[in-house]
Amino acid sequence: MSAVLPAHGHADDHGHGHDDHHHGPPPGLMRWVKTTNHKDIGTLYLWFSFVMFLSGGVLALTIRAELFQPGLQIVNPEFFNQLTTMHGVMMVFGAIMPAFVGFANWMIPMQIGAPDMAFARMNNWSFWLLIPAAGLLVISFFVPGGATAAGWTLYAPLSTQMGMGMDLAIFALHIMGASSIMGSINIVTTILNMRAPGMTLMKMPMFCWTWLITAYLLIAVMPVLAGAITMVLTDRHFGTSFFNAAGGGDPVMYQHIFWFFGHPEVYIMILPAFGIISHVVPAFARKPLFGYSSMVYATSSIAILSFIVWAHHMFTTGIPAAGQLFFMYATMLIAIPTGVKVFNWIATMWKGSMTFETPMLFATGFIFVFTMGGFTGLILAVTPIDIQLQDTYYVVAHFHYVLVAGSLFAMFSGVYFWLPKWTGHMYDEGLGKLHFWTSVIFFNITFFPMHFLGLAGMPRRIPDYATQFSDFNAIASVGAFGFGLSQLIFLAAVLKCIKGGAKAGDNPWEGAQGLEWTLSSPAPYHSFETPPVVK
């Protein structure tokens, strides 16, 4: 509301006139329930995603405990399939995506000089939708038949035959999709209409660019997912046969529809990470970002190309050779704009006066490990290789390199980078560095051996395996527990920073550029009463 009213003494969402700078949030629990403030909502998103991250992590550790040695140890195979499915669903839709929306809520108004998000009340609603959705996912473990066990992709015909846990998952994904679409509309409107005077699109911070493009992707593909799972729902309960071969349907059609959503979704989870890294690297190299406009065009190219590569997930479904060739070459094409980004980050570091505080450690760790994940993706793009490696642990290794070392490390980098601005305190550098080194070492111990398991032919999503795979599985399981426990260091570092610590200056990183660093630390409850003028 404050976006459309004059800057001084305006009414807040309850109709009370006041001068916002002296009027903080109402105290108590209702502040968080009813808040329309972008910083509060960003905080809610970040804490929600962290809780989902820990929940999905517990499922992952159960999976790795089961796979520590051959034979069935802890869980039965049906429950194992529920774990692999719900781990994927919780991490993708509950941890990674909401965390980036949290960053968007916190940073975009501060970076473009806006007082708040464009639709403040819708912002509150799009967050609170996530709570019942997450509740449905958790409850689904306790209904007859347990949670869905169709894999996070929910492939038909498995998904058309599951128990009621499947219906709960479909309902949860619908609600989360609605939340994503509302959040995206809000972000697009905010960025396009509420930039400070003088801030043209090509002067906008990279994080705002990556989120603008991500928001368009979300608006385009979330309805596709909704369509696919609604068709599964009608197949299950209303006698349709979209994916039922016996009724003239086609289960492979589900894969086409799902991956038309699923591949842009992969970029939805990495583009905001590129934005964060594009802020951290210049700040600690103490140089402006190399090739700003090429970064913008590269991000746009990735987004456009992401719509024409979906069937590289389907090389083994019997698509014709011409289709295989097309999707192979289109997939390889995406390596070019991605390579441009990596080149630009390295060129930004070149001859910079670099220091390695925790945000920069995570940023350089991101660039190194994400590039490795990109290369394994390029290998999987080659059709004959992919046919061999399809559904093996090689694929698991590949996408965890992209998603954990990609999205997650970038998020850690962003949290440490902006935490002084959010809390007004410096985080504990020792804890931050400990978190980085344990994370990066245990991450590689966990996922690097999976490449070898996949090359040796170990299929994914299996609760038991042949003896020749036992050594690498044992190593991976030990690494997984180390990685999981090292996230508690992160929690400790964040809580310690919130409670207190050295006072942070307005710009604790002398190399950081951007409007957010012109605000006091901690950032005031209402960022820019009168919009700054960008020269």
Side-chain angles (χ1 to χ4, degrees):
M1 207 164 171
S2 43
V4 289
L5 289 165
H8 296 292
H10 60 256
D12 70 3
D13 276 334
H14 310 290
H16 310 303
H18 56 67
D19 187 339
D20 277 316
H21 259 301
H22 306 295
H23 185 89
L29 180 69
M30 290 315 283
R31 161 189 174 177
W32 298 100
V33 176
K34 291 158 57 173
T35 182
T36 54
N37 180 280
H38 73 96
K39 300 185 182 73
D40 284 356
I41 293 171
T43 303
L44 286 169
Y45 265 109
L46 288 167
W47 276 114
F48 168 81
S49 72
F50 190 68
V51 170
M52 289 297 277
F53 170 59
L54 293 183
S55 314
V58 169
L59 303 186
L61 292 184
T62 315
I63 293 168
R64 284 316 319 170
E66 174 58 59
L67 293 173
F68 180 67
Q69 59 192 60
L72 296 175
Q73 329 294 331
I74 301 168
V75 297
N76 64 30
E78 292 77 18
F79 186 64
F80 184 87
N81 290 348
Q82 295 173 30
L83 289 175
T84 52
T85 301
M86 297 303 284
H87 164 69
V89 171
M90 281 183 170
M91 288 303 202
V92 169
F93 297 102
I96 302 282
M97 290 169 71
F100 280 135
V101 181
F103 275 105
N105 267 301
W106 249 105
M107 300 316 303
I108 288 174
M110 285 162 59
Q111 289 188 338
I112 63 174
D116 207 305
M117 297 294 280
F119 305 116
R121 288 182 175 182
M122 185 167 88
N123 206 10
N124 172 294
W125 178 225
S126 49
F127 169 75
W128 284 106
L129 278 177
L130 292 175
I131 304 299
L136 286 169
L137 289 177
V138 174
I139 290 164
S140 71
F141 277 111
F142 303 102
V143 299
T148 170
W152 82 271
T153 52
L154 309 176
Y155 273 7
L158 275 175
S159 53
T160 56
Q161 298 164 6
M162 293 276 150
M164 65 186 283
M166 183 72 213
D167 299 317
L168 294 180
I170 288 173
F171 194 27
L173 286 179
H174 270 304
I175 298 171
M176 286 174 158
S179 161
S180 288
I181 290 172
M182 290 198 295
S184 301
I185 290 169
N186 209 343
I187 287 167
V188 169
T189 311
T190 305
I191 291 175
L192 293 185
N193 295 331
M194 296 174 66
R195 297 192 307 283
M199 183 178 283
T200 58
L201 280 176
M202 290 310 274
K203 281 186 191 165
M204 210 161 62
M206 261 327 287
F207 182 68
C208 299
W209 258 117
T210 53
W211 243 115
L212 178 64
I213 292 165
T214 302
Y216 276 121
L217 280 178
L218 274 164
I219 293 166
V221 301
M222 285 318 281
V224 178
L225 175 68
I229 57 179
T230 304
M231 289 149 92
V232 169
L233 195 70
T234 59
D235 273 12
R236 289 167 58 80
H237 299 296
F238 301 106
T240 58
S241 44
F242 291 111
F243 309 128
N244 178 5
D250 181 5
V252 175
M253 179 171 78
Y254 176 86
Q255 297 190 27
H256 278 293
I257 300 170
F258 179 86
W259 285 115
F260 189 79
F261 147 81
H263 206 79
E265 163 68 17
V266 173
Y267 294 100
I268 286 163
M269 292 189 284
I270 198 68
L271 290 181
F274 291 166
I276 293 172
I277 299 301
S278 300
H279 282 262
V280 174
V281 169
F284 292 93
R286 292 164 182 80
K287 279 173 64 186
L289 181 68
F290 179 89
Y292 171 89
S293 51
S294 64
M295 284 294 244
V296 172
Y297 296 131
T299 311
S300 315
S301 320
I302 290 172
I304 293 159
L305 288 170
S306 73
F307 284 101
I308 59 162
V309 297
W310 77 89
H312 67 210
H313 296 269
M314 300 171 56
F315 283 150
T316 56
T317 56
I319 55 174
Q324 291 182 334
L325 279 171
F326 170 79
F327 286 106
M328 177 167 88
Y329 292 135
T331 305
M332 290 179 169
L333 208 55
I334 286 198
I336 297 171
T338 314
V340 166
K341 289 179 162 303
V342 174
F343 175 82
N344 286 11
W345 291 321
I346 292 169
T348 306
M349 295 182 200
W350 179 252
K351 293 196 172 170
S353 41
M354 294 216 293
T355 52
F356 289 95
E357 287 87 347
T358 310
M360 187 60 167
L361 283 175
F362 269 108
T364 44
F366 163 90
I367 294 168
F368 174 67
V369 194
F370 172 78
T371 306
M372 284 172 59
F375 275 125
T376 53
L378 205 52
I379 291 164
L380 288 169
V382 182
T383 311
I385 301 179
D386 182 80
I387 289 168
Q388 291 298 313
L389 296 176
Q390 168 79 9
D391 265 334
T392 67
Y393 261 77
Y394 192 90
V395 179
V396 179
H398 156 67
F399 73 67
H400 281 88
Y401 264 79
V402 176
L403 265 187
V404 182
S407 305
L408 191 66
F409 280 14
M411 281 181 212
F412 288 149
S413 178
V415 169
Y416 287 114
F417 185 54
W418 284 309
L419 207 53
K421 182 54 66 184
W422 296 346
T423 62
H425 304 291
M426 289 307 288
Y427 60 87
D428 182 323
E429 191 68 62
L431 277 178
K433 286 184 169 160
L434 181 67
H435 174 224
F436 168 74
W437 286 112
T438 52
S439 290
V440 84
I441 290 166
F442 282 123
F443 167 79
N444 282 293
I445 292 173
T446 308
F447 293 106
F448 200 74
M450 291 184 189
H451 293 103
F452 302 129
L453 287 170
L455 290 166
M458 179 174 164
R460 60 181 176 174
R461 296 181 189 163
I462 53 168
D464 187 13
Y465 52 85
T467 334
Q468 72 257 32
F469 302 131
S470 58
D471 294 352
F472 280 139
N473 269 300
I475 294 169
S477 290
V478 170
F481 277 88
F483 184 76
L485 291 172
S486 62
Q487 303 325 307
L488 299 177
I489 304 170
F490 174 63
L491 180 61
V494 170
L495 290 175
K496 186 176 176 186
C497 182
I498 293 169
K499 282 212 177 74
K503 289 295 289 174
D506 292 355
N507 188 348
W509 320 114
E510 64 269 32
Q513 300 291 319
L515 290 177
E516 70 262 38
W517 304 107
T518 63
L519 292 163
S520 59
S521 297
Y525 192 62
H526 293 275
S527 310
F528 290 99
E529 284 293 272
T530 40
V533 178
V534 177
K535 293 287 190 292

